[in-house]
Amino acid sequence: MSKTLHLTIDDRPVRVSPGTTIWQAARDHGIDIPVLCHDPKMTPVGVCRMCVVDIGTRVLAAACVRECEDGMVVRTRSPRVEQQRRVLLEWLLADHPVPCEREKTTGDCELEFLARQFGIVKSSCDAVASRQNGAARIDSSSRVIAVDHQACILCDRCIRACDEIQCNEVIGRMGRGTFTRIAFDLNDPMGKSTCVSCGECAAACPTGALTHKPITLPLVPESQTQAIDSVCPYCGVGCALTYHVFNNTIIRAEGRDNPGSEGRLCVKGRYGWDYALHHQRLTKPLIRRPEFYPKGPLSRAVKETGPSKPGGIVDYDEVLPAFREASWDEALDLVAANLLRIKKEHGPGALAGFGSAKCSNEEAYLFQKLIRAALGTNNVDHCTRLCHASSVAALLECIGSGAVTDVFGHIRHAEVALITGSNTTANHPVAATFFKQAAKRGTKLIVVDPRRPAIADFATWYCRIKPGSDVAFYNAIMHVLIYEGLIDEEYIQNHTENFTELRAVVEKYAPEYVSPLCGIEAPTIREIARTIGRSKSMMIFWGMGISQHTHGTDNARCLIALCLLTGNIGRLGTGLHPLRGQNNVQGASDAGLIPMVYPDYQPVGSEAVRQKFEAAWKAPLDPKPGLTVVEIMAAALRGDIRGMLMMGENPFLSDPNVNKVRQALARLDFLAVQDIFLTETAEFADVILPASSFLEKTGTYTNTDRRVQIGRKVLDPPGDARLDWQILCDLSHRLGYPMHYDSPEEIFAEFADLTTNYRGLNYDNLGATGKVWPCPKPMTSDGTLVLFGEGFPTPTGKGKFVPCEVAPADELPDDDFPFILNTGRILEHWHTGTMTRRASILNDLKPGPFAEAHPDDLARLGIRSGEPVTVRSRRGSIRLPVLASDSVTRGSIFIPFHFREAAANVLTNDALDPFGKIPEFKFCAVKMER
Amino acid sequence: MSVLSEDMKQRILSYLPRYPSKQAVTLPALHIVQDELRYVPLEAIREIADLLDLSPAEVHDTLTFYRFFRTDEKNKLGRTRLWVCQGLACQLRGCDATLARLCNTLKIKPGQTTADGKITVEAAECIGVCEGAPAVLINDEARPNVAEEKVEQLIAELTQ
């Protein structure tokens, strides 16, 4: 037990534990000591000396770094202290432009605030004696951050924000003495440096040295804005943030503390929200004009005839003439009449719905309820099918639950972390900051990926395995673990089954056998296996690189087996964490937007479950599991699916083999699209319903950690656009299945009641920071962060080893198509770009498509980096510039799939994993030509 | 193409066992590079950072703290870096005249390098050779008693 220290601060008795700084002790007791360089989230450095206090010694002590001692007598406001602070402020202010950029805009320059508090008056003067030694004072090269070196007080906060919090390590100091200043990389202009525009430095800066540039309206002080607590609409990390709204316009976003994201944001969250204000927002229901039948694509990019106009978004001039505005009544009547007609003529099985993981839990729940209860089919799915369907299939099979077993932040408790098939810094940027931080503090990262991700810079081992060789590699690791006795036999005995079968299969996967298959030297495989086997705790994180294969389920089974084999599950800093992609892919799946399960993964095929939902929804339900995303498209092409409802999905760009999707969408008898923009998919629609964006509605979203958080309405929907849940209720009413709710809260209550995992949660107890499900005691607990300490929700209560053999990819490279195509995402863009390409900052940062190929391959083909090439597969071709990149392995090409003008999914293979029904986005054969 | 030769990399890495952290090798690494290339190209900073598991900004931070290092190829050091001490003892014994004669003869200003790339003349703070004032440093080696009249002889020696 540690001793308690007794001291007095400003004559008040104070008790603290050893190691507490004077600043922290004072703050905990309501005594405010002014600081400039200190931020409790960062390592204290004590460079500004503003926080000096009198502890009776010859010199004053810096409270932010000086630790409390027993019997210490601290004075925080003696005349001596005040005098020193005043002199410091006068000196700092001497060459500080007053008012600085921060003071002029958000009005919160901490230096000028303190100066005012100390009664130091300095008349406005922008022109101060330069201390820039001839270097430029202003750097406006960054798209998002303005730099004024003259306003910098060298407090080091930006450097620590960049190094310690985001771990990007872009900012340093340069020079010395008067001429010291901050520098980006090698004193590059900020916009040309390796800065990833996360904005953490500008958020940390106390003065006008680093400030956010305005995105919509000019920035104004917080006192003039309305601050609305919400969450980020982009990825599954679900960062908490606050939007500052002025005149019904967001002017900036700020990270907000919560146990998951700890106030951090990435470029998308901090700067990518103005898509909602884009002039292309749909504001009226649209009905296709009769002369535009038979249906087909409208824009040149979607038709694939000739080049589209520059810029990556749908050209409304090309598509809008095909539609006329209509009233909501007319549009909804038309949708209902057509869906009912198709149901009557061809049965409910001829209908299908795609919901979206971008919509809230409430909307996902209502959507699947409408499809199931009002239309009578289980043909309802969403983009989870395209991301982690195989992971979820494997998890359900092996451990009885598809969700993560521990939260990403707990990597800090893990001795080893395996990160595989995940370009974390681009796709889960804020989760990546925790990974990098953990690595710096001693967690050994093992990064396994054919394409070298940036997180590999922090790895103890980076293994560039051959594409598609995951099963071989992990079987070899398990082989070593088993044959060197590095497995947790007690855990295997008590908590698992099928071990003998696993041992039999991995027996032949000795590292020497596997090495040529996966491209990793046998000693390295052994060394990694030993590190895993000897560690006390290991977490496994994975992304689409594991799941998006025809053997994606096998890949995930191997990872699960690896955790079970070493007993790395159910404890702090252990476990399985498939990093979920969309902000609500966990929640949309939880809410039942899946063809084979009702909410909370209750199987459609179970008689008892069906009866439960028939009673709850007061409607007969189809006992047959429905079709999945890619199966629905195939059925549409065959003419088996004739009518579809699409809420917020854009399969035209997100599904594999776009040319097939194009034919399928054109073939549909009736398509209604509910979205915020006229997407590529909507070009094939009969009716388009203008919906509300994330920023215009309130609802709950469940992040990758299973944290259920409330996203709150920030803006009013534009024009006649309506809230999605209200659209669904009105449509359902017209379909003869009335649904009535007064609020999203009421929908959430109905949904939560039908589940085990959400039961007990409501908007009140979710509060500002949300809860991690399951949360049996929501009044007192943050929820269950670590799952399965006491067995698994499987019939036997045990985890199951499912051994896997190596299987080849569906389409291997050959003489005609010699390259392997890998698709993925980049930091600045989101999925089909519907939002991010209309977010001004993100679009400016990464305006167009590109491919990456190894410099040696380009040299061999005589292609220069930056030159346009045609990339062709058996299914189609696209033209785009190719960039030389060492991160891609020889013989492969990487293309991000965000860009409609060069849609990567024109090339991809729609072959499916037999269990997860996920397409093989990560592997197909292509060729590259000038 | 790497700016650091294999030999330079090996010499840098050979310092690692001497110190508790890789970061401590920053200055030796910068010296190795400048000794060899007569300046530290920006690309070398990146490569040093890579070798020492640091960010380029950290190495740049250290480098710019010292005036000793040069980063501009146009301003790179000559074969000999000749420092003329400006300490008190040297001042009293005529170092100004030594420096002026050097510069006049070589037709350069302090800090500059002769067109043939053989000599860079610099003014130094006290080099601690007061007993031999006025003194100069020839690269790392101190040479005492370089009065004005010995300048031509010194130049002849250094331009051989």
Side-chain angles (χ1 to χ4, degrees), chain B residues 28-79:
Chain B
L30 291 169
H31 279 292
I32 286 169
V33 174
Q34 178 151 297
D35 281 352
E36 182 112 358
L37 305 178
R38 310 311 290 158
Y39 75 114
V40 184
L42 293 183
E43 197 42 46
I45 299 179
R46 291 202 178 84
E47 291 176 22
I48 292 171
D50 218 31
L51 284 177
L52 303 181
D53 283 343
L54 299 170
S55 69
E58 282 174 291
V59 177
H60 182 257
D61 186 326
T62 306
L63 176 144
T64 55
F65 184 80
Y66 298 99
R67 304 258 174 86
F68 187 83
F69 298 109
R70 297 190 171 199
T71 52
D72 189 356
E73 189 177 7
K74 287 198 287 275
N75 189 27
K76 71 176 185 180
L77 295 171
R79 190 178 67 194

Side-chain angles (χ1 to χ4, degrees), chain A residues 211-271:
Chain A
T211 49
H212 303 299
K213 289 183 176 177
I215 296 172
T216 49
L217 302 173
L219 299 175
V220 296
E222 243 172 70
S223 56
Q224 296 174 38
T225 65
Q226 192 191 357
I228 298 167
D229 288 350
S230 190
V231 288
C232 173
Y234 286 106
C235 82
V237 178
C239 299
L241 47 67
T242 300
Y243 290 109
H244 293 277
V245 184
F246 182 72
N247 266 352
N248 196 35
T249 307
I250 301 175
I251 57 168
R252 69 189 175 97
E254 189 181 21
R256 180 166 64 83
D257 256 339
N258 96 342
S261 56
E262 297 185 0
R264 304 173 193 184
L265 291 177
C266 75
V267 62
K268 292 193 284 284
R270 200 182 307 269
Y271 301 115

